[in-house]
Amino acid sequence: MIAKIYPNGHAELNGKQHPVRYFDIRKLTERECLRLMDVSAKDIDTLTSCPKLTRSALYKMAGNSIVVSCLYHIFKNIYCGSKSEPSLFDETNFQVSPPQTIRMVTLCSGYDSQVMAMQRLAHKLNKSVDLVFWSEFDPDSNKPQNEQPSVIAHNTLFPQWSERNLGDMTKIDWDSVECKEEIDMLTYSTPCTSISQAGRREGIAKGSGTRSSILWYTENAIRALRPKFLLQENVKALCNKVNAPHFNQWRQVCNDLGYDNYWAVLNAKDYGVPQNRERVFMLSVRRDLGLQTYHFPKPFPLQGKVADVLEDVTEQIYFLSPTNVIKFLQMNETDKAAHIVYAQTDHKLTDEEINFYRNGQREDT
């Protein structure tokens, strides 16, 4: 519909004046999404400058990854044996002196937030990280493994480990994998597709063949490698009423394999990132290590805000079209209650008028 916009912030529709608002609405850029996942500026530059990674691929990978800060604080509460920097650690009796080289295996690695977090901690402790094996493969992709976006991203960030991708975790013969050194940490962030509230909710039952049911193949890796620690991450729906029986069953598997389990729902906003993102984390500790009870990191006040991750954006590709802006705004129940009408107009707003509307100088506010 077409409306005539008046400087008083109203529009004339069918001979009547109605309050109208002017908005620029855009989506986050891929760089902003990666910042909200607490990826470092250096790694963001590396990913966004890779010509083989499209915008849509970066958006998808960021959405599927784990907030680095959450992982960092979980790892920090494991390796709290350092007395030289006590401010790094929460008060806990769970004390493990980190080895000089922390050896990791990551399953469903993505671009590997897990390694990013461990490297961040290792740097503070003057240690190093070695990614002994990783597993990343997209069964829905028509491209060869090394041409899939997540694999490209991983190899771009960590080229030193590009030959260590074991591929599809459902097809790995772990008994034939040679591993000379003890693994300190195995992480697994298996697909949430079948349990997420936004997905088909097909479930995670063992043998069901759903995307999320590949979780159960993790057992093969645990049996063969016997890592000191296991870290699981998934959406909060993993522990809801529908999926809880299967989550309980998985915890029993880990228990039978000789691990004590500790799990919690952590929110990224409680660990320094301005994003409301709740995820289930379960740390499994090999029982023969004789360690005391593990405690997940304590939340701390959020200092930053979303505005801190935003940048000046002028590219039109990130902005909604006028039609989509109207659709978006008309779904706002508050504005419906205020009887505010959003309208397209053939009148090109001047800079003065745009500032007029943006600054709230209108009768409907």
Side-chain angles (χ1 to χ4, degrees), residues 86-103:
S87 61
L88 282 175
F89 310 106
D90 292 342
E91 294 180 4
T92 173
N93 292 322
F94 191 90
Q95 296 186 352
V96 180
S97 295
Q100 187 57 47
T101 299
I102 302 171
R103 293 177 174 83

Side-chain angles (χ1 to χ4, degrees), residues 11-243:
E12 183 178 308
L13 291 169
N14 300 323
K16 297 181 180 180
Q17 283 199 7
H18 302 270
V20 65
R21 292 177 181 171
Y22 175 88
F23 281 93
D24 276 337
I25 297 181
R26 68 170 177 87
K27 61 184 179 181
L28 294 173
T29 68
E30 57 274 26
R31 294 182 66 89
E32 291 166 340
C33 287
L34 290 166
R35 286 196 194 106
L36 282 173
M37 301 309 296
D38 196 34
V39 178
S40 71
K42 178 182 177 182
D43 286 342
I44 290 175
D45 288 341
T46 300
L47 289 171
T48 56
S49 62
C50 178
K52 295 182 179 180
L53 295 175
T54 64
R55 282 194 177 102
S56 60
L58 289 170
Y59 279 126
K60 182 178 180 180
M61 283 187 285
N64 289 336
S65 68
I66 312 171
V67 175
V68 176
S69 180
C70 290
L71 292 164
Y72 169 81
H73 285 91
I74 291 171
F75 293 154
K76 181 193 71 174
N77 272 24
I78 296 173
Y79 297 114
C80 62
S82 171
K83 302 300 182 183
S84 59
E85 296 184 81
S87 61
L88 282 175
F89 310 106
D90 292 342
E91 294 180 4
T92 173
N93 292 322
F94 191 90
Q95 296 186 352
V96 180
S97 295
Q100 187 57 47
T101 299
I102 302 171
R103 293 177 174 83
M104 299 183 68
V105 172
T106 62
L107 306 181
C108 298
S109 309
Y111 56 60
D112 230 323
S113 302
Q114 301 90 318
V115 170
M116 292 178 184
M118 191 67 85
Q119 284 185 327
R120 187 177 296 181
L121 179 62
H123 177 73
K124 288 184 177 292
L125 299 176
N126 197 27
K127 307 295 182 181
S128 63
V129 173
D130 184 26
L131 182 60
V132 181
F133 303 114
W134 55 289
S135 169
E136 178 56 41
F137 179 78
D138 182 358
D140 294 331
S141 176
N142 295 321
K143 297 181 178 180
Q145 178 177 292
N146 285 339
E147 296 178 18
Q148 295 174 1
S150 293
V151 177
I152 292 172
H154 199 287
N155 288 340
T156 300
L157 291 170
F158 308 109
Q160 70 272 36
W161 298 316
S162 61
E163 301 302 318
R164 298 183 180 182
N165 183 11
L166 300 180
D168 186 348
M169 67 176 285
T170 68
K171 298 179 180 179
I172 299 173
D173 179 6
W174 287 102
D175 291 330
S176 67
V177 174
E178 185 176 357
C179 185
K180 298 179 180 179
E181 303 288 346
E182 186 172 33
I183 301 301
D184 297 292
M185 173 67 66
L186 181 146
T187 69
Y188 55 109
S189 183
T190 50
C192 66
T193 314
S194 311
I195 58 176
S196 172
Q197 298 298 325
R200 296 182 179 179
R201 307 183 194 179
E202 297 167 313
I204 199 172
K206 186 175 182 178
S208 63
T210 67
R211 285 294 299 275
S212 297
S213 68
I214 72 170
L215 161 70
W216 303 94
Y217 287 91
T218 310
E219 179 180 352
N220 299 331
I222 299 171
R223 286 185 180 277
L225 300 176
R226 300 292 298 162
K228 292 179 181 177
F229 305 104
L230 317 171
L231 183 66
Q232 178 182 24
E233 179 271 349
N234 217 302
V235 294
K236 187 179 178 181
L238 179 65
C239 58
N240 68 15
K241 184 177 180 179
V242 174
N243 299 303

Side-chain angles (χ1 to χ4, degrees), residues 351-363:
D351 290 341
E352 182 181 31
E353 288 173 318
I354 290 174
N355 289 330
F356 180 88
Y357 296 132
R358 282 177 173 167
N359 294 332
Q361 300 169 350
R362 48 186 185 254
E363 293 181 9

Side-chain angles (χ1 to χ4, degrees), residues 234-334:
N234 217 302
V235 294
K236 187 179 178 181
L238 179 65
C239 58
N240 68 15
K241 184 177 180 179
V242 174
N243 299 303
H246 301 299
F247 183 38
N248 294 341
Q249 184 183 353
W250 172 248
R251 298 206 306 275
Q252 187 60 52
V253 168
C254 294
N255 186 272
D256 292 343
L257 289 172
Y259 290 83
D260 293 325
N261 303 311
Y262 307 91
W263 69 276
V265 176
L266 304 187
N267 196 324
K269 70 179 183 180
D270 293 326
Y271 301 97
V273 177
Q275 180 183 177
N276 185 35
R277 186 182 180 90
E278 292 182 303
R279 292 295 184 268
V280 174
F281 293 90
M282 184 172 79
L283 183 75
S284 302
V285 182
R286 210 174 68 200
R287 198 170 297 123
D288 64 359
L289 297 176
L291 297 172
Q292 298 188 42
T293 302
Y294 175 80
H295 296 281
F296 280 94
K298 299 176 183 178
F300 53 86
L302 180 63
Q303 300 296 323
K305 50 188 180 296
V306 174
D308 295 331
V309 308
L310 301 181
E311 53 192 10
D312 291 333
V313 176
T314 59
E315 295 95 327
Q316 195 60 39
I317 190 172
Y318 295 110
F319 288 83
L320 299 186
S321 67
T323 300
N324 286 334
V325 168
I326 291 169
K327 290 179 180 178
F328 176 82
L329 294 172
Q330 286 177 335
M331 293 175 65
N332 187 306
E333 294 298 330
T334 302

